[in-house]
Amino acid sequence: MRGLVIGRFQPFHEGHRRLVEGIADEVEEVVVGIGSAGQSHTKRNPFTSGERVQMVQNVLDEVDAKTYLIPIADVERNAVWVKHIETLCPRFEVAYTNNPFVERLFEEDGYEVRGTPLHNREEFCGSEIRRRILAGEEWAHLVPDPVVAGIEEIDGVERLRKIESTDEPAEREG
């Protein structure tokens, strides 16, 4: 059986790693969708799809599971969102999510949907990690080492600071 999980992974953190490992305990293969693949260089989505693919793949190489990593661009039509995912991903039987709306969309298309445990959500949260980076607080212990290396390689801390300092209107954080 193959399972699907989708996240923005901005950045991929230790909670995400535990999530994928937990899913891998339930299914033979895990499809990891990089959501909002077309978004980058914003406070909410600072890293490009390619950068996230590289960082996540470097972590998944350490996970004892067969995984597929698929970038998934947003579509603005909820009625076709699951079909869009099906065209991009290998066939899967179960979707993993804690989002009630995403759960409904998959169930309406006939998929089994399973919830997942959240691991220390107060700290293992992309917006909290990005906040810590901007505030100059400790953050590296919240993400796997390959992600720290990836952020350093692209000078991601400085990118976030420049994004934060622009005169663009504040984005809704999430």
Side-chain angles (χ1 to χ4, degrees), residues 75-88:
V75 293
E76 300 302 321
R77 294 181 53 216
N78 295 331
V80 299
W81 184 70
V82 173
K83 297 296 182 208
H84 172 66
I85 291 169
E86 289 172 340
T87 66
L88 298 171

Side-chain angles (χ1 to χ4, degrees), residues 19 23 26 94-99 103 113-118:
L19 170 70
I23 292 170
E26 296 183 13
V94 60
Y96 289 84
T97 185
N98 289 319
N99 181 313
E103 178 180 355
V113 179
R114 298 180 188 168
T116 61
L118 297 175

